[in-house]
Amino acid sequence: MHDTHPVRGCSVSAPARLHLGFLDLNGGLGRRYGSIGLALDAPSTDIRVERAETMSASGPERERVLTVLARCSEALKLKGVYRVEVARAIPAHAGLGSGTQLALAIGLALMRLEGLSLSPQQIGDLAGRGARSAIGMAAFEAGGFIVDGGRGAIDQPPPVLIQSPFPEDWRVLLVLDPKAQGAHGDRETKAFAALPPFPAELADRLCRLVLMQLAPGLKEADIGAFGAALTEIQRIVGGHFAAAQGGSPWTSPPVGALLKKASELGATGIGQTSWGPTGFGFVPSPDVADRLYHSLVEDAKAMGLEIAVVRGRNAGATIAAD
C-alpha cells in the first residue's frame, strides 16, 4: 500500500552480531551448519536513505553501499534515485555481520521510502545474504540470543529455533584486531569447500552442549554453565576450522593470547566470532567487565588490539521515517 504522504527520508540503525559457532557441520541428518548467535548493542551500522537526483553514497563502506543499493533497486524494480549517508558502520570482515546488517538496513529503508512491505527474510534474499545462517537476519529483526536450524533441502534461510533475551547484567568483552581480516567472499567459499568431513559424534556433542548446557545456562542466567558450554563449542568448531586459518583456531593469534589472559582473570565463553579476527569473552556484570578492561587495556594497546565492553541487544534494528 502506498502512503498518501511521501516519505522524504528514512534512518535505520542495525546491530552487530556475534556468530558463536555451528551445531552440525556433518549434515548427515539432511541439514547442515545450524548457527548460534547474539545481537550486540555496539558497534552498529547507522544509515540514512533519501530521494536524490543521482544515486550516491557517502561515509564509510561507500562502494559496498552502492552495490547493495543497485541490487535492491533492481530486485524491487524501483524507479527512484537515492542517496545513502552512512554515519557509522560495523567494521567490515571482522566477524560482526557488517555486510548483512548493511544490506538489511538499506533494503528496509527503501521499502519504507516506497511504501512497500517485505519481511526481513525477503529483504535478506534481495540483499543476497543469509546463505549459511539466519543469525544476522534474526538479530536485525528482534535481537537477543539466537539458534537457527541450518540449511535443509529447500533454498531459503534457516529456521530460527531459539530467540531469547540475553541477561541484562552480563557483558561481552570484544577484542578487535584492526590489522587483520577474516575470510570473506571467494576466499570464504573456498575455505568451506576445503574443510575435511566433520565427524557425526562431534556434531552430536555440539547439539547436546547447545540444548542441555548453553541455552539452559542463558535462560537461568547461569554464566558458569553458559561459558563452559561456549568455550567447549568454540574449541570443537575452532579446531575444525584451524586448517583454513593457518593451523590456528584464531585468525589473529594476538587476539587469542589476550583472551587467554582474560580467561585467567575470570572471563568465560572464550572464542572467535565467525572467521574473526574479532574474539570475545563473557563476564557476569559491568563491574567485572570494568575490572578486566583496565587489567587488559595496556596489553591490548601494546599488541595493536582494541577492547570494547558491550551488552547483548534484546531488540532489533530501529527505523525512523520523516
Side-chain angles (χ1 to χ4, degrees), residues 17-19 91-98 175-184 187-188 234 241 245 249-253 255 271-280:
R17 62 94 184 111
L18 293 178
H19 190 287
H93 312 309
L96 296 169
S98 62
V175 180
L176 302 108
D177 185 343
K179 301 180 300 303
Q181 281 196 347
H184 58 277
R187 194 174 134 223
E188 181 184 20
Q234 281 280 324
F241 280 89
Q245 296 180 158
W250 302 95
T251 293
S252 165
V255 167
Q272 171 180 288
T273 173
S274 188
W275 290 99
T278 307
F280 54 77

Side-chain angles (χ1 to χ4, degrees), residues 298-317:
E298 292 309 319
D299 285 0
K301 280 182 188 156
M303 297 158 98
L305 305 176
E306 294 167 11
I307 305 180
V309 174
V310 300
R311 303 161 64 136
R313 179 183 167 99
N314 292 323

